[in-house]
Amino acid sequence: MGGRTPLLVLTFSLAVLSIKLGISHGCRETERKALIDFKRGLHDPSNRLSSWVGEDCCAWEGVGCSNISGHVIKLDLRNSRRMDPWALRGDITPSLPSLQQLNRLDLSGNYFMHKPIPKFLGAFRRLTYLNLSGAGFMGRVPAQLGNLSTLQHLDLSCGGSFCLSLENSGWISLLTSLRHLNMTWVSFTNAANWLQDLNALPHVQEIELISCDLGTFPRSLSHVNFTSLTTLDLRGNYINSTIPDWVFNITSLEFLYLGGNDLHGFFPDSVTKLTSLKALDLSGTQLSGSFPDWLGNIKNLKSLDLSSNSLCGSVPASIGNLSLLQHLSLGSNDLNGTISKDDLANLSSLEYLDISYNFIELNKSDDWIPPFQLQSLSMDFCQIGPTPQFPQWLRTQTTLRQLQLSSAGIKDMFFDRLPSSLEYLDLSYNSLHGSLPASLGNLSMLRSLDLGSNNLNEAFPNWLPSGLRYLYLSDNKITGEVPQFFPKLKYLYLSNNSFSGNLSPRITNTMPSLQWFDLSMNNMSGEIPFSYWKTSSNLLLLDLSSNKLVGGVPDSLCNLQMLESLHLSHNNLSGQIPHCLKSCTELATLDLGHNNFIGNIPTWIGESLLYLKTLSLRSNAFTGQIPWSIGRMKQLEVLDLSRNNLSGAIPSDLAALNFLNHLNLSYNNLSGRIPNGNQLQTFTDSSIYAGNPNLCGPPLTKNCTLNIAKAGEEEQNEDSSKSRMETLWLYTSITLGFIIGFWAICGSLLLQQTWRTSYFRAIDNMFDKLYVMMVVTVAKYKRKL
């Protein structure tokens, strides 16, 4: 035994040594070069990749390596803030597939310039996680992604509009290891067999296909293979059918979201088969009939959303059997009756209750304290009455954070009866009048206050909670100066009131977090202060339209480099569009209409503001031609240049604006043929070209052929006239030249005797020399002969 000990120690030491030698102390050179090449193809405005220097790429931000081999196995460059200043921009270079050991790739939230997803991403055969959501890709999803047989998580979702599309969904069935699939806002219009392809995934657990234009909901499925599926989210697909029975055969389902479809008919009682169901969303699906009593049998339900349907009758008492229920949304139905303490007694977990836009009432005579601790209560359009008499228990809801009482017929203030825990309060579209009571200042936790569309008509108070993030006071009659004392405010809506005076240059100092500022339709006057805007401003929307502002647009406005919407229409602003505005490259809306701007429309608008969707310069005094560069703004949807003094031809480049849906060039001095092709052919309303007498071609009735022939004849006559004038000038010039030359020489000889003597002497000498040369030449030829 003693002899074996040294041998065991030696063996163990060699094993430890071999492990240490195998551990990598840096990344592979080929992979480092591939990452450097990838970085060169990107624009990094926030310097997120500043650590990408040196030899050890494993220490770089977002890069993860294997501790054993040193291979790069993770590349996580997601933009978690989902804001443009932090987004990487550019292309994915073809060198990236050199990272053959990569198993996790996350580029979500960046911007890859509307380029298609590279096909070579299908070469990462070890990839288990791929997230390209909200990354600015466009076009067809490459079928090569079907090669990723080890992939477990795939997220290609877009944000708010179609960006990607499927030509065929067959490649999805090849992802046999897939657990999570999110293709929200990816168009499935051409993918007729989407359900069969998804059903081929044996291990899939979560499917999210929100707003994918699925179109059809197959009535039958021969064999349900979704044995592991826990989440099925098909919201917002406008599926027009009843709910097929095969859905209720997926007994593993815990979360079923089918809201925002046209699933008409009565409420299916087959839902009770889904005994594991925790969340059910059938909102906005046109379901009708009475509120189902058997819903109380789904004991595990935590969230139930049946809002925006046509359910009628009263809420059954069996709803009280759902003791785990946290979220109950019944808004926008035809429900009626009273909800009493007996109906809610067992809902000890209830946090969110929405009975808005029904004919339901909470029993106001109940003096009991309910067991639940509400966080959100919505009773919009419930006609509470001019003086609200809420159940006494409302003040006991110390966890209540959100209260919505919009369109409830309220006239009197009742802030002293509200719990101090409120963070969100909506009293819009009521009949509140006068000034706001001081008791509102007691809601120290308030973050959002909506008092829009009331009859408030006194000066703005200075004692509102300073922690407000959202303040909506539009459509009232509030007077005085613009409030400027909310350091954390992000959204300020004051449109359609009676605010007056000059804009204060201090507003960006006192509200540095402001992102949306709407002061339109008031009585503001004076100039926009030069010191109004800071470079560090986070402002995304600025609306000063429909006021009485004068002067020009200050250069300081160009400091708002995150600005997405600028509205200055219907004022008395003048001068030219400042050149520095080209630095606001994130602008999506620019509205300067109904002012007194002059000069040419600058060419840089089309060269720098490439993300512009709305450009309105109507009713100004712009001159010159429409710049051709506008045709480069591929995202443009609205173009209004009407009622200016523009001249020249309409640029043919406008035909390349494929997203253009509104065009108005009327009442200018434009001339020539209206360009045709692509999107311009869809504009058949001739009024958009009215007031331009020299324009011709469809949709106008004026024929360009006749105008061209007439113009050609006039041009020919003009050319003939020019030719006669040129001939006349030629002969006149020759005659004058001869007369002037003759008398310049002969006159000088007649008047000056010395000149005359020298002239004839020079002639004689020249004659003598010519005579001698001729005689000598003749003598030479004679001798030769």
Side-chain angles (χ1 to χ4, degrees), residues 44-51 85-86 88:
D44 182 15
S46 58
N47 292 321
R48 291 171 53 200
L49 305 182
S50 58
S51 65
W86 286 272
L88 300 173

Side-chain angles (χ1 to χ4, degrees), residues 696-730:
C696 61
L700 299 178
T701 56
K702 192 172 184 180
N703 195 327
C704 285
T705 306
L706 296 176
N707 289 307
I708 292 173
K710 183 177 180 181
E713 183 179 345
E714 292 177 353
E715 186 176 349
Q716 186 176 2
N717 293 335
E718 186 178 349
D719 290 344
S720 178
S721 176
K722 286 183 179 179
S723 179
R724 287 196 298 271
M725 288 297 295
E726 289 174 356
T727 303
L728 179 61
W729 275 108
L730 175 63

Side-chain angles (χ1 to χ4, degrees), residues 285-303:
T285 54
Q286 301 187 27
L287 294 176
S288 58
S290 300
F291 193 102
D293 185 66
W294 44 259
L295 267 178
N297 298 328
I298 309 178
K299 305 292 187 179
N300 293 315
L301 265 183
K302 294 184 177 180
S303 175

Side-chain angles (χ1 to χ4, degrees), residues 601 617 626 630 639-644 646 664-665 668:
I601 298 176
L617 304 178
I626 299 175
I630 289 182
L639 177 62
D640 192 342
L641 305 178
S642 61
R643 299 186 183 276
N644 281 282
L646 301 173
N664 193 346
L665 302 178
N668 282 285

Side-chain angles (χ1 to χ4, degrees), residues 355-356 358-362 364 377-391 394 403-412 414 417-418 426-427 430:
I355 57 173
S356 61
N358 280 288
F359 304 97
I360 298 175
E361 292 185 2
L362 292 177
K364 300 170 186 176
L377 174 62
S378 180
M379 299 177 64
D380 297 339
F381 205 70
C382 283
Q383 294 304 310
I384 294 172
T387 303
Q389 297 293 329
F390 290 113
L394 184 61
L403 178 60
Q404 293 182 234
L405 298 172
S406 176
S407 302
I410 301 173
K411 292 183 179 180
D412 296 337
F414 56 96
R417 296 172 235 166
L418 295 178
D426 183 357
L427 296 174
N430 281 289

Side-chain angles (χ1 to χ4, degrees), residues 460 481-487 489 492 502-511:
F460 195 90
E481 296 183 353
V482 177
Q484 48 183 306
F485 42 81
F486 301 107
L489 199 65
L492 178 58
N502 296 334
L503 288 171
S504 170
R506 294 185 299 141
I507 196 167
T508 53
N509 294 330
T510 56
M511 293 191 286

